[in-house]
Amino acid sequence: MVSEIFAISAAWSRAVIEFANGLDPWARTAVEWGTDLFLGVFALLFLMAWWRARSAGSRPVGLALLAPAATVVAYFASVTVKSFFQQLRPCQAMTDLNTIATCDPVGDWSFPSNHAAVAGAAAAAVIIAWRRFAVAAVLFAVLEAFSRVLVGVHYPHDVTVGLLVGAAVATLVCLPAARPMTFLVDRLAENDRLRPLLRARTAPGPGPGPEIEQIHEKAHSNV
C-alpha cells in the first residue's frame, strides 16, 4: 500500500516538475522566490490576528501571541519525523529532470516537508486565534505546499503530511495553553505600559435607549 502511494505521488511530482520546466523564465524565478516568501505572509497574519484580537478579549490575544511559538514547535516536530524516514527528494531521485530550485545535498531529507509543516502550523494557529482569517490562512498554506512540489524539492505526499503534522502540533500546543495564556494576558494588562499591546482602546458607550428617554419625558411632564 505504501509503495503504491509513493508511486502515485512520484508520478504526480514528475508531471508537476515537467510542467514547471515549460514556464517562462520570469515565472520560474517568481515561483523560486515565492516558495520562501509565502511563509512571510503568515508573519503578517500573526500580526493582524494579534491586532484584531485586542478588541476581543484576553483569550484571543493570548492565542495570537502563542501562534508563532506553536509554529516553531511544529517545525522541530517535522525535523524530528524527517530524521526517521530519510527519504530522498524528487530532485535527488529524478536526476533526468531539471528543477526550479537548486537541489539540496543527500542528507537533507524530503519527508515530511518542513515548509509545509510550518505553513500548516501557522494556518492552524491563526485560525484558532482569529477564525475570520481562516480562508486566507488555508489558501496560503496550500499555495506554500504546492510550491514545494512545483520547484521540485518535495513529493505531494511530503507536503500533505507536512501540512497535517504542522496543523496537529499547533493545535495540540494552542488549545491546552489557552487558559494559561488568558491568565497571563490578564496579568500583563494590569501594567499601564503593556495594556495598549493587549487591549484595544475602549469605544465610548452608547447613549440612553428610547425606553430611558420615554421615562425621562414622563418624569418631566409630571413635574
Short mmCIF file of all heavy atoms in Angstrom, two decimals, residues 37-95:
data_model
loop_
_atom_site.label_atom_id
_atom_site.label_comp_id
_atom_site.label_asym_id
_atom_site.label_seq_id
_atom_site.Cartn_x
_atom_site.Cartn_y
_atom_site.Cartn_z
N LEU A 37 8.93 33.15 0.21
CA LEU A 37 8.23 34.37 0.62
C LEU A 37 6.82 34.10 1.12
O LEU A 37 6.30 34.88 1.93
CB LEU A 37 8.20 35.36 -0.54
CG LEU A 37 9.55 35.95 -0.95
CD1 LEU A 37 9.39 36.89 -2.14
CD2 LEU A 37 10.20 36.68 0.22
N PHE A 38 6.19 33.03 0.65
CA PHE A 38 4.84 32.70 1.12
C PHE A 38 4.80 32.57 2.64
O PHE A 38 3.81 32.91 3.29
CB PHE A 38 4.33 31.41 0.48
CG PHE A 38 3.69 31.61 -0.86
CD1 PHE A 38 3.90 30.69 -1.88
CD2 PHE A 38 2.88 32.70 -1.13
CE1 PHE A 38 3.33 30.87 -3.14
CE2 PHE A 38 2.30 32.88 -2.36
CZ PHE A 38 2.52 31.96 -3.37
N LEU A 39 5.90 32.06 3.22
CA LEU A 39 5.93 31.90 4.67
C LEU A 39 5.87 33.25 5.37
O LEU A 39 5.38 33.35 6.50
CB LEU A 39 7.19 31.14 5.09
CG LEU A 39 7.28 29.68 4.64
CD1 LEU A 39 8.57 29.04 5.14
CD2 LEU A 39 6.07 28.87 5.13
N GLY A 40 6.39 34.29 4.71
CA GLY A 40 6.33 35.62 5.29
C GLY A 40 4.92 36.13 5.45
O GLY A 40 4.65 36.99 6.30
N VAL A 41 4.01 35.62 4.62
CA VAL A 41 2.61 36.04 4.73
C VAL A 41 2.05 35.66 6.10
O VAL A 41 1.24 36.40 6.68
CB VAL A 41 1.77 35.39 3.61
CG1 VAL A 41 0.28 35.68 3.80
CG2 VAL A 41 2.24 35.88 2.24
N PHE A 42 2.51 34.54 6.63
CA PHE A 42 2.00 34.11 7.93
C PHE A 42 2.48 35.02 9.05
O PHE A 42 1.77 35.20 10.05
CB PHE A 42 2.39 32.66 8.19
CG PHE A 42 1.64 31.68 7.33
CD1 PHE A 42 2.25 31.10 6.24
CD2 PHE A 42 0.32 31.39 7.59
CE1 PHE A 42 1.55 30.23 5.43
CE2 PHE A 42 -0.39 30.52 6.78
CZ PHE A 42 0.22 29.94 5.70
N ALA A 43 3.65 35.60 8.89
CA ALA A 43 4.09 36.59 9.88
C ALA A 43 3.13 37.77 9.89
O ALA A 43 2.78 38.31 10.95
CB ALA A 43 5.51 37.05 9.56
N LEU A 44 2.69 38.17 8.70
CA LEU A 44 1.72 39.26 8.60
C LEU A 44 0.38 38.84 9.21
O LEU A 44 -0.26 39.64 9.92
CB LEU A 44 1.53 39.65 7.13
CG LEU A 44 0.53 40.76 6.84
CD1 LEU A 44 0.94 42.05 7.54
CD2 LEU A 44 0.41 41.00 5.34
N LEU A 45 -0.05 37.61 8.97
CA LEU A 45 -1.31 37.13 9.56
C LEU A 45 -1.21 37.06 11.08
O LEU A 45 -2.19 37.32 11.78
CB LEU A 45 -1.67 35.76 8.98
CG LEU A 45 -2.13 35.73 7.53
CD1 LEU A 45 -2.39 34.29 7.08
CD2 LEU A 45 -3.38 36.57 7.34
N PHE A 46 -0.03 36.69 11.59
CA PHE A 46 0.16 36.69 13.05
C PHE A 46 -0.07 38.10 13.61
O PHE A 46 -0.76 38.28 14.62
CB PHE A 46 1.59 36.25 13.40
CG PHE A 46 1.86 34.79 13.20
CD1 PHE A 46 3.15 34.35 12.98
CD2 PHE A 46 0.84 33.87 13.24
CE1 PHE A 46 3.42 33.01 12.81
CE2 PHE A 46 1.09 32.51 13.07
CZ PHE A 46 2.38 32.08 12.85
N LEU A 47 0.52 39.09 12.96
CA LEU A 47 0.38 40.47 13.42
C LEU A 47 -1.07 40.93 13.33
O LEU A 47 -1.59 41.58 14.26
CB LEU A 47 1.28 41.39 12.59
CG LEU A 47 2.78 41.28 12.84
CD1 LEU A 47 3.55 42.12 11.83
CD2 LEU A 47 3.12 41.71 14.27
N MET A 48 -1.73 40.60 12.23
CA MET A 48 -3.13 41.01 12.07
C MET A 48 -4.02 40.33 13.09
O MET A 48 -4.94 40.96 13.64
CB MET A 48 -3.58 40.68 10.64
CG MET A 48 -2.89 41.50 9.56
SD MET A 48 -3.32 40.96 7.89
CE MET A 48 -5.09 41.36 7.87
N ALA A 49 -3.78 39.05 13.36
CA ALA A 49 -4.59 38.33 14.35
C ALA A 49 -4.41 38.94 15.73
O ALA A 49 -5.38 39.12 16.48
CB ALA A 49 -4.20 36.85 14.37
N TRP A 50 -3.15 39.27 16.09
CA TRP A 50 -2.91 39.91 17.38
C TRP A 50 -3.60 41.27 17.47
O TRP A 50 -4.24 41.59 18.47
CB TRP A 50 -1.40 40.07 17.58
CG TRP A 50 -1.05 41.15 18.57
CD1 TRP A 50 -1.22 41.10 19.92
CD2 TRP A 50 -0.49 42.44 18.27
NE1 TRP A 50 -0.80 42.30 20.49
CE2 TRP A 50 -0.35 43.13 19.49
CE3 TRP A 50 -0.10 43.06 17.10
CZ2 TRP A 50 0.16 44.42 19.57
CZ3 TRP A 50 0.43 44.35 17.16
CH2 TRP A 50 0.54 45.00 18.39
N TRP A 51 -3.51 42.06 16.41
CA TRP A 51 -4.10 43.40 16.44
C TRP A 51 -5.61 43.32 16.57
O TRP A 51 -6.22 44.07 17.35
CB TRP A 51 -3.71 44.15 15.17
CG TRP A 51 -4.14 45.58 15.16
CD1 TRP A 51 -5.21 46.13 14.51
CD2 TRP A 51 -3.51 46.67 15.86
NE1 TRP A 51 -5.29 47.48 14.75
CE2 TRP A 51 -4.25 47.84 15.58
CE3 TRP A 51 -2.39 46.75 16.69
CZ2 TRP A 51 -3.91 49.07 16.12
CZ3 TRP A 51 -2.05 47.98 17.22
CH2 TRP A 51 -2.81 49.13 16.92
N ARG A 52 -6.23 42.42 15.82
CA ARG A 52 -7.68 42.26 15.90
C ARG A 52 -8.12 41.68 17.24
O ARG A 52 -9.15 42.06 17.79
CB ARG A 52 -8.16 41.34 14.78
CG ARG A 52 -7.94 41.89 13.38
CD ARG A 52 -9.05 42.85 13.02
NE ARG A 52 -8.96 43.28 11.64
CZ ARG A 52 -9.85 44.05 11.04
NH1 ARG A 52 -10.90 44.48 11.72
NH2 ARG A 52 -9.70 44.40 9.77
N ALA A 53 -7.33 40.75 17.75
CA ALA A 53 -7.70 40.07 19.00
C ALA A 53 -7.74 41.02 20.18
O ALA A 53 -8.44 40.77 21.16
CB ALA A 53 -6.72 38.94 19.28
N ARG A 54 -7.03 42.13 20.12
CA ARG A 54 -7.01 43.09 21.21
C ARG A 54 -8.40 43.62 21.55
O ARG A 54 -8.65 44.06 22.68
CB ARG A 54 -6.09 44.27 20.86
CG ARG A 54 -4.62 43.90 20.80
CD ARG A 54 -3.78 44.94 20.09
NE ARG A 54 -3.90 46.25 20.69
CZ ARG A 54 -4.54 47.29 20.13
NH1 ARG A 54 -5.12 47.15 18.94
NH2 ARG A 54 -4.59 48.44 20.75
N SER A 55 -9.30 43.59 20.58
CA SER A 55 -10.65 44.08 20.81
C SER A 55 -11.62 42.95 21.17
O SER A 55 -12.82 43.20 21.33
CB SER A 55 -11.17 44.81 19.57
OG SER A 55 -11.23 43.94 18.47
N ALA A 56 -11.11 41.72 21.29
CA ALA A 56 -11.99 40.57 21.50
C ALA A 56 -11.80 39.90 22.85
O ALA A 56 -12.58 39.01 23.20
CB ALA A 56 -11.78 39.55 20.38
N GLY A 57 -10.79 40.28 23.62
CA GLY A 57 -10.62 39.67 24.93
C GLY A 57 -9.26 39.03 25.11
O GLY A 57 -8.45 38.92 24.19
N SER A 58 -9.00 38.59 26.33
CA SER A 58 -7.69 38.06 26.69
C SER A 58 -7.37 36.74 26.01
O SER A 58 -6.22 36.48 25.66
CB SER A 58 -7.60 37.89 28.21
OG SER A 58 -7.73 39.14 28.86
N ARG A 59 -8.37 35.88 25.85
CA ARG A 59 -8.10 34.57 25.26
C ARG A 59 -7.61 34.68 23.82
O ARG A 59 -6.58 34.07 23.48
CB ARG A 59 -9.35 33.68 25.34
CG ARG A 59 -9.12 32.24 24.88
CD ARG A 59 -10.39 31.41 25.04
NE ARG A 59 -10.15 30.00 24.80
CZ ARG A 59 -10.17 29.42 23.61
NH1 ARG A 59 -10.42 30.17 22.53
NH2 ARG A 59 -9.93 28.13 23.47
N PRO A 60 -8.31 35.42 22.94
CA PRO A 60 -7.78 35.56 21.58
C PRO A 60 -6.41 36.20 21.53
O PRO A 60 -5.58 35.82 20.70
CB PRO A 60 -8.84 36.43 20.90
CG PRO A 60 -10.08 36.23 21.68
CD PRO A 60 -9.63 36.05 23.10
N VAL A 61 -6.17 37.17 22.40
CA VAL A 61 -4.85 37.82 22.43
C VAL A 61 -3.78 36.80 22.81
O VAL A 61 -2.71 36.72 22.19
CB VAL A 61 -4.83 39.00 23.40
CG1 VAL A 61 -3.40 39.53 23.57
CG2 VAL A 61 -5.73 40.11 22.90
N GLY A 62 -4.06 36.02 23.83
CA GLY A 62 -3.10 35.01 24.26
C GLY A 62 -2.80 33.99 23.18
O GLY A 62 -1.65 33.61 22.96
N LEU A 63 -3.84 33.56 22.48
CA LEU A 63 -3.65 32.59 21.40
C LEU A 63 -2.89 33.21 20.23
O LEU A 63 -2.07 32.54 19.60
CB LEU A 63 -5.01 32.07 20.93
CG LEU A 63 -5.73 31.15 21.92
CD1 LEU A 63 -7.15 30.86 21.44
CD2 LEU A 63 -4.96 29.84 22.09
N ALA A 64 -3.16 34.47 19.94
CA ALA A 64 -2.43 35.14 18.87
C ALA A 64 -0.96 35.28 19.21
O ALA A 64 -0.09 35.11 18.34
CB ALA A 64 -3.06 36.51 18.60
N LEU A 65 -0.65 35.58 20.46
CA LEU A 65 0.75 35.70 20.88
C LEU A 65 1.44 34.34 20.90
O LEU A 65 2.66 34.24 20.68
CB LEU A 65 0.82 36.33 22.27
CG LEU A 65 0.36 37.78 22.37
CD1 LEU A 65 0.39 38.24 23.82
CD2 LEU A 65 1.22 38.70 21.51
N LEU A 66 0.67 33.29 21.12
CA LEU A 66 1.23 31.94 21.18
C LEU A 66 1.47 31.35 19.78
O LEU A 66 2.28 30.43 19.63
CB LEU A 66 0.29 31.03 21.97
CG LEU A 66 0.74 29.58 22.21
CD1 LEU A 66 2.03 29.55 23.03
CD2 LEU A 66 -0.36 28.80 22.92
N ALA A 67 0.80 31.88 18.77
CA ALA A 67 0.84 31.29 17.43
C ALA A 67 2.26 31.12 16.89
O ALA A 67 2.59 30.04 16.37
CB ALA A 67 -0.01 32.13 16.47
N PRO A 68 3.13 32.13 16.96
CA PRO A 68 4.50 31.92 16.45
C PRO A 68 5.25 30.81 17.18
O PRO A 68 5.98 30.02 16.56
CB PRO A 68 5.17 33.28 16.66
CG PRO A 68 4.04 34.26 16.71
CD PRO A 68 2.92 33.52 17.39
N ALA A 69 5.08 30.74 18.49
CA ALA A 69 5.77 29.70 19.26
C ALA A 69 5.26 28.31 18.89
O ALA A 69 6.05 27.36 18.77
CB ALA A 69 5.57 29.95 20.77
N ALA A 70 3.95 28.19 18.69
CA ALA A 70 3.39 26.90 18.28
C ALA A 70 3.93 26.48 16.91
O ALA A 70 4.16 25.29 16.66
CB ALA A 70 1.86 27.00 18.23
N THR A 71 4.15 27.45 16.04
CA THR A 71 4.69 27.16 14.72
C THR A 71 6.12 26.66 14.82
O THR A 71 6.53 25.74 14.10
CB THR A 71 4.63 28.42 13.83
OG1 THR A 71 3.26 28.86 13.75
CG2 THR A 71 5.14 28.13 12.44
N VAL A 72 6.91 27.25 15.71
CA VAL A 72 8.29 26.80 15.91
C VAL A 72 8.31 25.37 16.44
O VAL A 72 9.12 24.53 16.00
CB VAL A 72 9.02 27.75 16.87
CG1 VAL A 72 10.39 27.18 17.25
CG2 VAL A 72 9.18 29.12 16.24
N VAL A 73 7.42 25.06 17.37
CA VAL A 73 7.34 23.69 17.90
C VAL A 73 7.00 22.71 16.78
O VAL A 73 7.57 21.61 16.70
CB VAL A 73 6.29 23.62 19.03
CG1 VAL A 73 6.07 22.16 19.47
CG2 VAL A 73 6.72 24.46 20.22
N ALA A 74 6.08 23.09 15.91
CA ALA A 74 5.70 22.22 14.80
C ALA A 74 6.87 22.00 13.85
O ALA A 74 7.05 20.90 13.30
CB ALA A 74 4.52 22.83 14.04
N TYR A 75 7.67 23.03 13.64
CA TYR A 75 8.84 22.89 12.77
C TYR A 75 9.80 21.83 13.33
O TYR A 75 10.26 20.95 12.60
CB TYR A 75 9.57 24.23 12.64
CG TYR A 75 10.95 24.11 12.05
CD1 TYR A 75 11.12 23.94 10.67
CD2 TYR A 75 12.09 24.14 12.85
CE1 TYR A 75 12.39 23.81 10.12
CE2 TYR A 75 13.35 24.02 12.31
CZ TYR A 75 13.50 23.85 10.95
OH TYR A 75 14.75 23.71 10.41
N PHE A 76 10.09 21.91 14.61
CA PHE A 76 11.02 20.94 15.20
C PHE A 76 10.41 19.53 15.23
O PHE A 76 11.15 18.53 15.11
CB PHE A 76 11.43 21.38 16.60
CG PHE A 76 12.44 22.49 16.61
CD1 PHE A 76 12.08 23.78 16.99
CD2 PHE A 76 13.74 22.26 16.19
CE1 PHE A 76 13.02 24.81 16.97
CE2 PHE A 76 14.68 23.28 16.17
CZ PHE A 76 14.32 24.55 16.56
N ALA A 77 9.11 19.44 15.37
CA ALA A 77 8.45 18.13 15.28
C ALA A 77 8.64 17.54 13.89
O ALA A 77 8.91 16.34 13.73
CB ALA A 77 6.97 18.27 15.61
N SER A 78 8.50 18.37 12.86
CA SER A 78 8.70 17.91 11.48
C SER A 78 10.14 17.47 11.25
O SER A 78 10.40 16.44 10.62
CB SER A 78 8.32 19.03 10.50
OG SER A 78 8.58 18.64 9.17
N VAL A 79 11.10 18.24 11.77
CA VAL A 79 12.51 17.87 11.63
C VAL A 79 12.78 16.51 12.29
O VAL A 79 13.52 15.68 11.76
CB VAL A 79 13.40 18.96 12.25
CG1 VAL A 79 14.86 18.49 12.34
CG2 VAL A 79 13.32 20.24 11.44
N THR A 80 12.16 16.29 13.44
CA THR A 80 12.34 15.02 14.14
C THR A 80 11.78 13.86 13.34
O THR A 80 12.43 12.80 13.20
CB THR A 80 11.66 15.08 15.52
OG1 THR A 80 12.22 16.16 16.28
CG2 THR A 80 11.86 13.77 16.27
N VAL A 81 10.57 14.02 12.81
CA VAL A 81 9.96 12.96 12.00
C VAL A 81 10.81 12.68 10.76
O VAL A 81 11.02 11.53 10.37
CB VAL A 81 8.52 13.36 11.60
CG1 VAL A 81 7.94 12.35 10.62
CG2 VAL A 81 7.64 13.47 12.83
N LYS A 82 11.32 13.76 10.15
CA LYS A 82 12.12 13.62 8.93
C LYS A 82 13.35 12.74 9.15
O LYS A 82 13.76 11.98 8.27
CB LYS A 82 12.53 15.02 8.46
CG LYS A 82 13.20 15.05 7.09
CD LYS A 82 13.81 16.43 6.83
CE LYS A 82 12.74 17.49 6.67
NZ LYS A 82 12.12 17.45 5.33
N SER A 83 13.95 12.84 10.33
CA SER A 83 15.18 12.10 10.60
C SER A 83 14.96 10.59 10.64
O SER A 83 15.91 9.82 10.45
CB SER A 83 15.78 12.57 11.93
OG SER A 83 14.94 12.23 13.02
N PHE A 84 13.72 10.17 10.86
CA PHE A 84 13.44 8.74 10.94
C PHE A 84 13.24 8.11 9.55
O PHE A 84 13.51 6.93 9.36
CB PHE A 84 12.19 8.48 11.79
CG PHE A 84 12.42 8.65 13.26
CD1 PHE A 84 12.01 9.80 13.92
CD2 PHE A 84 13.08 7.68 14.01
CE1 PHE A 84 12.22 9.97 15.28
CE2 PHE A 84 13.30 7.84 15.37
CZ PHE A 84 12.86 9.00 16.00
N PHE A 85 12.77 8.88 8.59
CA PHE A 85 12.41 8.31 7.28
C PHE A 85 13.54 8.43 6.25
O PHE A 85 13.72 7.53 5.43
CB PHE A 85 11.14 8.97 6.76
CG PHE A 85 9.91 8.58 7.51
CD1 PHE A 85 9.45 9.34 8.57
CD2 PHE A 85 9.22 7.42 7.17
CE1 PHE A 85 8.32 8.97 9.28
CE2 PHE A 85 8.09 7.04 7.87
CZ PHE A 85 7.64 7.81 8.93
N GLN A 86 14.27 9.52 6.26
CA GLN A 86 15.42 9.69 5.37
C GLN A 86 15.08 9.38 3.91
O GLN A 86 15.73 8.58 3.25
CB GLN A 86 16.59 8.84 5.85
CG GLN A 86 17.07 9.18 7.25
CD GLN A 86 18.32 8.44 7.68
OE1 GLN A 86 18.78 7.55 6.95
NE2 GLN A 86 18.87 8.77 8.82
N GLN A 87 14.06 10.04 3.42
CA GLN A 87 13.62 9.85 2.04
C GLN A 87 14.29 10.87 1.12
O GLN A 87 14.39 12.05 1.46
CB GLN A 87 12.10 10.01 1.96
CG GLN A 87 11.54 9.98 0.55
CD GLN A 87 10.10 10.42 0.53
OE1 GLN A 87 9.21 9.64 0.84
NE2 GLN A 87 9.87 11.66 0.16
N LEU A 88 14.78 10.42 -0.03
CA LEU A 88 15.39 11.31 -0.99
C LEU A 88 14.36 12.28 -1.56
O LEU A 88 13.18 11.94 -1.69
CB LEU A 88 16.01 10.52 -2.14
CG LEU A 88 17.24 9.66 -1.82
CD1 LEU A 88 17.64 8.88 -3.07
CD2 LEU A 88 18.39 10.52 -1.33
N ARG A 89 14.82 13.47 -1.89
CA ARG A 89 13.96 14.45 -2.55
C ARG A 89 13.76 14.07 -4.02
O ARG A 89 14.59 13.36 -4.60
CB ARG A 89 14.58 15.84 -2.44
CG ARG A 89 14.68 16.37 -1.02
CD ARG A 89 15.39 17.71 -1.00
NE ARG A 89 15.51 18.22 0.36
CZ ARG A 89 14.60 18.99 0.96
NH1 ARG A 89 13.51 19.36 0.28
NH2 ARG A 89 14.77 19.41 2.19
N PRO A 90 12.70 14.57 -4.64
CA PRO A 90 12.50 14.31 -6.07
C PRO A 90 13.69 14.74 -6.93
O PRO A 90 14.09 14.04 -7.85
CB PRO A 90 11.25 15.12 -6.42
CG PRO A 90 10.53 15.28 -5.15
CD PRO A 90 11.58 15.34 -4.08
N CYS A 91 14.26 15.90 -6.61
CA CYS A 91 15.39 16.40 -7.38
C CYS A 91 16.63 15.53 -7.19
O CYS A 91 17.55 15.57 -8.01
CB CYS A 91 15.68 17.85 -7.02
SG CYS A 91 15.97 18.14 -5.25
N GLN A 92 16.67 14.76 -6.10
CA GLN A 92 17.79 13.84 -5.88
C GLN A 92 17.55 12.49 -6.55
O GLN A 92 18.50 11.84 -7.00
CB GLN A 92 17.99 13.64 -4.37
CG GLN A 92 18.39 14.90 -3.62
CD GLN A 92 18.23 14.78 -2.12
OE1 GLN A 92 17.58 13.85 -1.63
NE2 GLN A 92 18.81 15.72 -1.37
N ALA A 93 16.27 12.10 -6.60
CA ALA A 93 15.95 10.78 -7.17
C ALA A 93 15.71 10.82 -8.67
O ALA A 93 16.02 9.86 -9.38
CB ALA A 93 14.71 10.22 -6.47
N MET A 94 15.16 11.93 -9.17
CA MET A 94 14.85 12.05 -10.60
C MET A 94 15.90 12.94 -11.26
O MET A 94 15.66 14.10 -11.61
CB MET A 94 13.44 12.65 -10.78
CG MET A 94 12.34 11.88 -10.10
SD MET A 94 10.72 12.68 -10.31
CE MET A 94 9.70 11.64 -9.27
N THR A 95 17.06 12.40 -11.44
CA THR A 95 18.18 13.19 -11.94
C THR A 95 18.04 13.55 -13.42
O THR A 95 18.83 14.37 -13.92
CB THR A 95 19.49 12.42 -11.74
OG1 THR A 95 19.38 11.12 -12.36
CG2 THR A 95 19.78 12.24 -10.25
#
